[in-house]
Amino acid sequence: MLNNLTECEEGDGGPNSQGDATSKESSPFINSSTSDVEKSQQYDGKNMALFEEEMDTSPMVSSLLSSLANYSNLTQGSKEHEEAENNEEARKKTVQAPRMGTIMGVYLPCMQNILGVILFLRMTWLVGVGGVLGTFIIVFMCCSTTMLTAISMSAIATNGVVPAGGSYYMISRSLGPEFGGAVGICFYLGTTFAGAMYILGCIEILLIYIVPAAAIFKMEGLEGAEAEAALLNNMRVFGTIVVSFMALVVFVGVKYVNKLALVFLACVILSILAVYAGVIKTSFDPPFFPVCVLGNRTLVSKGFDICAKTIEQGNATVTTKLWRAFCDSEFLNATCDEYFTNNNVSQIQGIPGITSGILAENLFTTFMEKNSILEKRGIPAVLDPEAPETNTNRYVLADITSFFTLLVGIYFPSVTGIMAGSNRSGDLQDAQKSIPVGTILAITTTSIIYMSSVFLFGACVDGVVLRDKFGEGVNGNLVIGTLAWPSPWVIVFGSFFSTCGAGLQSLTGAPRLLQAIARDGIIPFLRVFGHGKANGEPTWALLLTACICEIGILIASLDAVAPILSMFFLMCYMFVNLACALQTLLRTPNWRPRFKFYHWALSLLGMSLCLTLMFLCSWYYAIVAMVIASCIYKYIEFCGAEKEWGDGIRGISLSAARYALMRLEEGPPHTKNWRPQILVLMSLDGEQSVEQPRLLSLTSQLKAGKGLTIVGACVEGTYLNNQPQAQKADQSLRKLMEVEKVKGFSQVVISSNLRDATSHLIQAGGLGGLRHNTVLVSFPKNWKQAEEHHRCRNFIEVVRETTAAHLAMLVPKNISAYPSNGERFTEGHIDVWWIVHDGGLLMLLPFLLRQHKVWRKCKIRIFTVAQMDDNSIQMKKDLMTFLYHLRFDAEVEVVEMHDSDISAYTYEKTLVMEQRSQILKEMHLTKNEREREIQSITDVSRGSIRRKNPSNLHPQRSIAEESVGGSGEEKPEEESFRLSCPRQVQLIQGKNATPTPTSPTSPTAPTPAAMSPGEEVQMTWTDDTEKTNNPAHMMIFNSSLIKEMFSQSLEWENLNQSNVRRMHHAQKLNGVIVKKSQEAKLVLLNMPGPPKNRTGEESYMEFLEVLTEGLNRVLLVRGGGREVITIYS
């Protein structure tokens, strides 16, 4: 890192060289405010003139190497390196070089954590119950798991500098914040419950083997469940006292705990050496260690003093305490227990020695039910199967039901602690060397100790003694203590102090682990535990740790607590193996461990073993641990801080994405897999804020298809000059996407003009096969205004480009009227007007919308249009069948639209539209002048119609008033307007007129025979004039109004007949839609295609305007030219 730079020797620049001696504030590779003059002086004589301008971001090699040479590991729980660099206090402190090597820093701490309470209190019992072979399998499996985990951990630890933080740091930086946080919490809980287990072991040794009289709840005279309850209550009371005392010690002086660690470790080593010495001694001088047996049942030694029914005292036979325990009186003629009467009392050697051959007897398992009596193998016993069991409290009983998986759960905590060395990585002289060597050496040593213990205990100690968990048959002695030399008290006190030390270490390490997680900020509700005392001691984390530890104390049973912490440790080890396997298989460029003796197969094997052991120990605890980890994972994913640590999960996501993209390139998706991959084109204001946020609300409501979403925006300018604006725009998009809950990507393009930028987005959006297939853009507002003309042209170009690219297009009109994600429609309809079929997108969109809570209660209605020669009844049946096969629930209606002549109003509207277009193209006026000119032309046109017919400025009857039903009877419209003159001339549509559907109709004059003075002159619209196109055929009237009519007719004939026809169709269709769907919550409508030439752009916008006039919410839909729905499964 760049902090703590020290003065270097003279460099190439001479004695005044400042390359390495500058402080951090003026360092050339930190963004500083050094002036150009100072820079030139600073690098004078360094031959760096060519790179002076880049020194802010590219440091000199000498400076960089100097900073790396003075790098120091951060304290446990601190934030990232970059955050620590900005801490001036950290810069000013003089960091001492780490002093600990492999033995003191890794090997001995791992030994102390691995060898502990289970070895002293449960190992002999495990051998007795599980047998030598079964226990050896358990030990081998557990030790293999930790060895494989250590190999994976060594690879991770040597892949770069590991700051203090140990296993949590390695897992979180390898698997990401989600996995890191989940596994970090599991590791924390495992360490905390390990503290509870050590404390329970400490109390067990104290109350059973050292000072039994100190028990508050007396167990003398109690039997069965009452005695068990008294023991557990004693454990709870004393455990709570010890937890409180240890927490106080850690709070007041943690440095004393670290200093006492070596003392506690010495106790462990002396105890183990005493056991090995005792084993050697049994080979030539077995200790006298008698065990009293009645028949084949082991007796509790506290109930008698002599292992016999009677003894000879003088010339008389006297009964013993054992007699009185089984008989109703001390006399020989007393009534005694039947089993006592039928079987003899014998005394066996509890520790026959390693050369006795007892190994063969202890080779196989002896699982027992709870409260069953310990029985000696090979001794005959007389037992009446029908006789009831009596005086069971006189025998040594099994306290729990034992089975193989229980033994695994109880034993596994004895091999945990392999990460003690990695947790001290900040204090190691060479962590990359010490962690692998020290950890693997410690695991090898402890594995040898455990495996040899299994065979030595099975070869030296009798089975009944091994299965006697609390030493009830051997005068309450610790079983492993009876084997030790020179005295059992060596083991008793050694194990007591070792469990005390291990408990203190757990209460010291667990709060710091929690503090590290809290300070990383990945779990928001834990941030309070990142604070502590002024010296950094985690006060609040210690308090929480003590409370969780108290939960384990209240469980009170060491055998019940052991599987709990086994789960959490196994989960932690499983993810360490997973991290190594992922990094190896992904072959990330940064994965270059110095430790070379690893392989992804070993890591996967270790992960499989961890998962197997989890369910072997306790399947329900395993499920609970996984649920806890999963909940934490999802919490961090949704609520936690986003961290980019270059973790392996991001790497596997990248590899999976690359693989999926390559697969997508193989061909277009099947119709069944088609879903809208939407490119949303957003417009920005001058402040780079989004102008129409409801566009993203609609996007969110359309995302039931779970497809890709790209939210694009354009910034006008050059990339070099406008990059800050683009970044601001990107932030605005991301913020709005987060508010609207749109999951996707934002993309801002900078170009010299907005038209090209939009084109770039449409062309280059997406990657490979994961590209947008639908473009969502809002209908331009106020497009008729001159200053908005460029938006109109851009919109039409977008329509053209999407059509050319075979992309679907969605154009919401009146987007501000669309509902937000917080609104709910309790009723209403979504109306679909299916005019042409362009792939089925029009049918799919309402289904997707109804998946969202905003539109969920709306019903779908589908309208389609029948032409003159269509059978509307059959069309309705076919459409209902089609919807049934598509599994869509919708109402169906077929609308009949009959052919009709074009009204004069249509001609007038087309004329005004073309005049406006011509003026916008030809006039080079100012903005205000252009608006006034357009307005005047509009007024003149309207005045022309107003003079002709003051009372009827629009057709007398709208197309929307057609009667639409099942009948195919033709009911043509009579569209006319009256000419006010002395001789009224009425232009009407004759009922017998048959205009050609494919060509527009033109006004023509009636024949002279059709006229008579004083009558209305009927002028019928026919195709004749279109063919002749000759005004000479018109009748001449003796009125100036008739001359005006001829002039108007000439203007109409000069119109673009294609525009007239389109305007006519737009008006007719709009009238029908308004009549049927004016109250609908949303109208979906086929969007007409754009004009092929650029002369009709304004006309196209006018057609769309007329088509959607009078509707509140309209979504214009244009398909991409391929089928998107199918009736097949």
Side-chain angles (χ1 to χ4, degrees):
M1 302 314 293
L2 307 179
N3 52 335
N4 306 313
L5 297 178
T6 58
E7 186 90 10
C8 298
E9 296 180 0
E10 296 178 4
D12 295 335
N16 296 325
S17 173
Q18 298 294 321
D20 298 331
T22 54
S23 64
K24 178 161 174 94
E25 288 80 359
S26 60
S27 174
F29 43 88
I30 298 298
N31 293 327
S32 59
S33 57
T34 310
S35 65
D36 293 339
V37 177
E38 291 173 342
K39 281 184 180 180
S40 62
Q41 294 175 354
Q42 189 173 352
Y43 303 115
D44 187 28
K46 290 185 177 290
N47 300 318
M48 299 297 292
L50 287 175
F51 301 96
E52 283 181 5
E53 297 297 329
E54 301 178 4
M55 280 297 165
D56 288 340
T57 55
S58 302
M60 288 189 299
V61 174
S62 59
S63 301
L64 181 64
L65 294 178
S66 175
S67 64
L68 292 176
N70 288 280
Y71 170 78
S72 60
N73 291 321
L74 305 178
T75 56
Q76 180 172 352
S78 62
K79 296 184 180 181
E80 296 300 300
H81 305 289
E82 292 78 9
E83 297 170 346
E85 287 173 12
N86 297 324
N87 186 347
E88 293 190 11
E89 293 183 3
R91 285 199 300 268
K92 293 177 182 178
K93 289 180 180 178
T94 302
V95 180
Q96 297 178 354
R99 292 189 299 265
M100 285 195 292
T102 303
I103 300 298
M104 295 297 297
V106 181
Y107 179 72
L108 293 180
C110 286
M111 289 276 292
Q112 181 186 5
N113 280 268
I114 295 174
L115 300 172
V117 61
I118 300 297
L119 175 63
F120 299 119
L121 295 183
R122 293 292 182 269
M123 197 65 195
T124 53
W125 177 78
L126 288 170
V127 175
V129 174
V132 172
L133 292 179
T135 308
F136 182 81
I137 292 173
I138 294 174
V139 172
F140 180 79
M141 194 161 49
C142 294
C143 290
S144 299
T145 302
T146 55
M147 179 61 77
L148 293 172
T149 304
I151 293 173
S152 300
M153 185 188 68
S154 299
I156 298 173
T158 58
N159 187 50
V161 178
V162 178
S167 56
Y168 162 70
Y169 181 91
M170 290 188 294
I171 296 171
S172 61
R173 271 56 176 181
S174 296
L175 294 179
E178 295 87 1
F179 278 107
V183 178
I185 292 296
C186 288
F187 191 52
Y188 163 75
L189 292 175
T191 307
T192 305
F193 276 103
M197 184 188 72
Y198 292 134
I199 292 171
L200 288 174
C202 171
I203 301 302
E204 183 176 314
I205 294 170
L206 181 70
L207 293 182
I208 296 180
Y209 305 114
I210 299 179
V211 281
I216 297 175
F217 298 90
K218 301 299 180 182
M219 293 179 286
E220 296 294 335
L222 298 179
E223 301 179 6
E226 294 180 352
E228 183 180 355
L231 175 62
L232 295 180
N233 288 332
N234 282 319
M235 303 283 278
R236 293 185 180 105
V237 173
F238 280 92
T240 303
I241 296 172
V242 172
V243 164
S244 303
F245 176 74
M246 286 186 174
L248 184 63
V249 169
V250 173
F251 177 76
V252 172
V254 68
K255 58 183 179 180
Y256 301 110
V257 176
N258 294 329
K259 289 181 179 179
L260 289 173
L262 288 178
V263 177
F264 296 141
L265 179 60
C267 294
V268 174
I269 294 175
L270 286 175
S271 301
I272 294 174
L273 291 177
V275 172
Y276 279 104
V279 169
I280 295 172
K281 183 175 178 295
T282 61
S283 61
F284 57 87
D285 184 17
F288 179 71
F289 199 74
V291 177
C292 193
V293 177
L294 175 62
N296 61 357
R297 296 179 176 180
T298 309
L299 296 171
V300 176
S301 59
K302 292 182 180 179
F304 58 90
D305 51 355
I306 300 174
C307 185
K309 294 182 180 180
T310 59
I311 57 173
E312 297 293 332
Q313 203 171 45
N315 294 325
T317 302
V318 181
T319 58
T320 61
K321 279 187 178 182
L322 185 60
W323 178 279
R324 292 191 287 274
F326 285 92
C327 301
D328 56 1
S329 69
E330 62 182 9
F331 302 107
L332 292 174
N333 60 352
T335 302
C336 297
D337 180 83
E338 183 178 355
Y339 186 84
F340 180 78
T341 305
N342 295 334
N343 291 276
N344 295 322
V345 176
S346 59
Q347 189 169 274
I348 61 173
Q349 176 66 349
I351 304 179
I354 195 170
T355 58
S356 63
I358 197 71
L359 178 64
E361 183 181 322
N362 295 330
L363 208 56
F364 302 103
T365 60
T366 310
F367 296 128
M368 305 175 65
E369 296 290 333
K370 184 177 181 179
N371 294 325
S372 61
I373 302 171
L374 263 69
E375 297 179 348
K376 166 68 177 173
R377 289 178 179 174
I379 298 180
V382 179
L383 176 65
D384 184 1
E386 298 180 357
E389 292 287 346
T390 57
N391 294 302
T392 54
N393 61 317
R394 308 300 178 187
Y395 305 113
V396 178
L397 305 177
D399 64 323
I400 59 173
T401 301
S402 54
F403 42 90
F404 183 79
T405 56
L406 174 73
L407 304 186
V408 176
I410 292 175
Y411 173 74
F412 187 80
S414 64
V415 296
T416 60
I418 63 173
M419 294 186 175
S422 63
N423 289 338
R424 296 167 180 252
S425 56
D427 302 322
L428 299 175
Q429 189 172 0
D430 186 359
Q432 297 193 18
K433 176 183 177 183
S434 298
I435 289 177
V437 174
T439 304
I440 293 176
L441 191 60
I443 293 176
T444 303
T445 305
T446 53
S447 298
I448 292 172
I449 292 174
Y450 280 126
M451 291 180 185
S452 62
S453 297
V454 171
F455 284 103
L456 294 177
F457 293 161
C460 294
V461 186
D462 193 275
V464 292
V465 179
L466 290 173
R467 290 188 287 276
D468 188 358
K469 183 184 292 185
F470 302 110
E472 295 174 287
V474 289
N475 297 317
N477 290 320
L478 186 62
V479 175
I480 193 174
T482 60
L483 188 62
W485 180 87
S487 171
W489 290 106
V490 175
I491 296 293
V492 172
F493 283 106
S495 59
F496 176 76
F497 285 116
S498 70
T499 51
C500 288
L504 280 172
Q505 290 288 341
S506 297
L507 288 179
T508 303
R512 281 160 177 73
L513 180 60
L514 180 62
Q515 187 183 46
I517 299 171
R519 286 185 174 178
D520 263 343
I522 58 175
I523 304 178
F525 71 86
L526 288 182
R527 285 174 183 163
V528 65
F529 299 106
H531 306 293
K533 294 193 292 187
N535 60 354
E537 291 298 321
T539 308
W540 293 107
L542 175 61
L543 181 62
L544 179 65
T545 302
C547 293
I548 297 176
C549 191
E550 178 64 20
I551 296 175
I553 296 298
L554 294 178
I555 296 176
S557 172
L558 188 148
D559 298 326
V561 173
I564 297 177
L565 65 100
S566 295
M567 291 302 108
F568 294 122
F569 277 120
L570 279 167
M571 185 167 289
C572 179
Y573 296 165
M574 180 176 70
F575 281 103
V576 170
N577 286 294
L578 175 63
C580 181
L582 277 182
Q583 299 277 30
T584 307
L585 290 173
L586 292 176
R587 298 177 182 176
T588 53
N590 192 50
W591 179 246
R592 302 183 301 274
R594 288 185 179 277
F595 182 79
K596 301 299 182 183
F597 304 100
Y598 70 93
H599 193 270
W600 61 266
L602 295 177
S603 299
L604 288 180
L605 178 60
M607 187 180 71
S608 304
L609 277 174
C610 289
L611 192 61
T612 303
L613 286 175
M614 284 178 67
F615 283 92
L616 278 180
C617 293
S618 174
W619 65 267
Y620 46 89
Y621 279 158
I623 292 175
V624 170
M626 288 182 171
V627 167
I628 292 174
S630 301
C631 292
I632 297 171
Y633 178 93
K634 300 306 290 185
Y635 176 79
I636 297 173
E637 185 179 28
F638 287 108
C639 303
E642 293 185 3
K643 300 282 185 180
E644 177 51 63
W645 288 332
D647 50 84
I649 293 300
R650 300 294 173 94
I652 197 172
S653 300
L654 180 62
S655 296
R658 181 184 62 83
Y659 176 77
L661 285 173
M662 298 300 291
R663 289 291 303 274
L664 287 175
E665 285 285 2
E666 294 178 3
H670 192 273
T671 301
K672 291 185 288 186
N673 294 326
W674 192 94
R675 59 194 67 195
Q677 321 273 18
I678 302 177
L679 169 63
V680 187
L681 298 179
M682 306 292 292
S683 56
L684 305 172
D685 58 16
E687 299 297 326
Q688 308 304 329
S689 299
V690 177
E691 288 185 342
Q692 296 167 333
R694 289 294 172 88
L695 207 57
L696 278 186
S697 301
L698 177 61
T699 305
S700 176
Q701 294 158 22
L702 279 169
K703 291 316 291 176
K706 302 294 184 184
L708 171 72
T709 302
I710 302 175
V711 181
C714 305
V715 175
E716 193 169 4
T718 62
Y719 185 78
L720 295 178
N721 297 332
N722 298 90
Q723 190 180 7
Q725 290 90 323
Q727 292 176 348
K728 184 177 180 181
D730 189 64
Q731 291 175 359
S732 299
L733 292 180
R734 288 177 181 272
K735 185 176 181 181
L736 186 60
M737 290 171 67
E738 184 178 352
V739 171
E740 297 293 343
K741 297 181 179 178
V742 174
K743 292 189 178 298
F745 309 97
S746 62
Q747 188 171 359
V748 179
V749 174
I750 305 174
S751 184
S752 56
N753 59 77
L754 296 180
R755 172 82 285 282
D756 289 345
T758 306
S759 179
H760 296 160
L761 273 175
I762 294 174
Q763 294 178 58
L767 179 65
L770 192 64
R771 291 178 48 83
H772 55 272
N773 53 29
T774 306
V775 176
L776 175 62
V777 60
S778 178
F779 193 86
K781 297 189 302 182
N782 306 323
W783 60 271
K784 295 182 181 181
Q785 298 180 6
E787 61 269 18
E788 299 293 330
H789 185 60
H790 67 285
R791 294 200 177 191
C792 170
R793 294 182 63 86
N794 288 348
F795 172 78
I796 296 174
E797 287 300 313
V798 169
V799 178
R800 284 198 177 100
E801 289 181 358
T802 54
T803 303
H806 301 290
L807 301 176
M809 190 171 187
L810 309 179
V811 182
K813 190 182 178 188
N814 302 331
I815 186 63
S816 58
Y818 277 66
S820 65
N821 288 331
E823 298 181 40
R824 304 285 187 278
F825 288 132
T826 56
E827 58 181 0
H829 295 90
I830 299 175
D831 285 357
V832 178
W833 284 85
W834 193 16
I835 310 302
V836 295
H837 180 68
D838 55 359
L841 181 60
L842 200 67
M843 315 288 284
L844 184 62
L845 289 177
F847 169 76
L848 297 178
L849 283 173
R850 288 191 72 244
Q851 307 303 308
H852 197 274
K853 52 192 174 184
V854 174
W855 306 92
R856 188 163 294 154
K857 294 188 178 180
C858 292
K859 296 181 179 179
I860 302 176
R861 295 189 301 188
I862 297 181
F863 298 90
T864 190
V865 176
Q867 302 299 329
M868 286 286 295
D869 52 352
D870 292 330
N871 186 340
S872 57
I873 298 177
Q874 187 61 38
M875 281 182 65
K876 185 172 182 178
K877 291 181 180 179
D878 294 341
L879 182 55
M880 292 177 67
T881 303
F882 181 58
L883 293 178
Y884 174 78
H885 289 303
L886 288 177
R887 290 87 66 198
F888 287 165
D889 294 325
E891 301 177 19
V892 174
E893 187 169 344
V894 177
V895 177
E896 295 180 346
M897 289 186 62
H898 305 295
D899 293 332
S900 59
D901 288 339
I902 302 173
S903 67
Y905 178 72
T906 302
Y907 277 97
E908 281 293 335
K909 199 166 183 64
T910 309
L911 177 62
V912 172
M913 176 186 70
E914 292 196 356
Q915 288 175 343
R916 181 191 300 112
S917 301
Q918 188 66 26
I919 290 172
L920 288 174
K921 292 176 183 177
E922 296 179 357
M923 284 177 41
H924 300 285
L925 305 176
T926 64
K927 183 190 302 183
N928 294 332
E929 289 174 335
R930 189 178 303 172
E931 290 179 1
R932 287 197 299 269
E933 189 68 25
I934 294 173
Q935 188 62 40
S936 65
I937 293 173
T938 305
D939 293 341
V940 169
S941 300
R942 290 176 178 171
S944 175
I945 299 177
R946 195 176 294 115
R947 286 193 304 273
K948 293 182 179 72
N949 191 359
S951 60
N952 296 313
L953 299 180
H954 54 276
Q956 291 178 352
R957 295 175 60 190
S958 171
I959 301 299
E961 296 174 353
E962 288 181 349
S963 62
V964 181
S967 66
E969 184 180 354
E970 184 175 346
K971 295 181 181 181
E973 292 281 337
E974 292 186 4
E975 292 181 342
S976 64
F977 57 87
R978 299 181 179 275
L979 302 176
S980 300
C981 60
R983 299 176 66 183
Q984 292 180 338
V985 181
Q986 185 180 13
L987 301 175
I988 66 171
Q989 172 192 339
K991 290 187 178 182
N992 297 324
T994 57
T996 305
T998 58
S999 62
T1001 58
S1002 303
T1004 182
T1007 60
M1011 295 176 55
S1012 63
E1015 296 179 351
E1016 292 183 346
V1017 179
Q1018 295 186 351
M1019 301 183 68
T1020 305
W1021 305 92
T1022 67
D1023 290 336
D1024 297 337
T1025 309
E1026 183 183 357
K1027 297 175 183 178
T1028 62
N1029 197 17
N1030 187 2
H1033 289 268
M1034 299 293 296
M1035 294 296 298
I1036 302 176
F1037 297 96
N1038 298 324
S1039 171
S1040 60
L1041 191 59
I1042 301 300
K1043 293 180 180 179
E1044 184 178 351
M1045 184 189 68
F1046 274 109
S1047 175
Q1048 189 72 35
S1049 299
L1050 287 172
E1051 291 181 354
W1052 287 349
E1053 287 185 357
N1054 291 329
L1055 293 176
N1056 185 322
Q1057 297 304 313
S1058 176
N1059 287 346
V1060 175
R1061 187 173 64 253
R1062 291 182 181 181
M1063 182 66 75
H1064 175 60
H1065 182 249
Q1067 282 185 315
K1068 284 184 63 178
L1069 190 56
N1070 174 257
V1072 175
I1073 295 174
V1074 169
K1075 180 180 178 182
K1076 295 289 184 180
S1077 302
Q1078 193 166 18
E1079 301 300 323
K1081 301 300 181 184
L1082 179 65
V1083 176
L1084 282 82
L1085 180 64
N1086 284 114
M1087 182 178 178
K1092 294 183 179 179
N1093 53 41
R1094 300 187 182 277
T1095 58
E1097 291 179 349
E1098 290 78 9
S1099 304
Y1100 178 67
M1101 295 301 297
E1102 188 71 43
F1103 297 148
L1104 296 182
E1105 192 72 48
V1106 171
L1107 182 62
T1108 58
E1109 190 175 5
L1111 299 172
N1112 186 24
R1113 300 185 193 94
V1114 183
L1115 182 61
L1116 296 171
V1117 180
R1118 184 162 176 78
R1122 62 158 296 168
E1123 292 292 333
V1124 300
I1125 54 174
T1126 178
I1127 63 175
Y1128 299 103
S1129 60

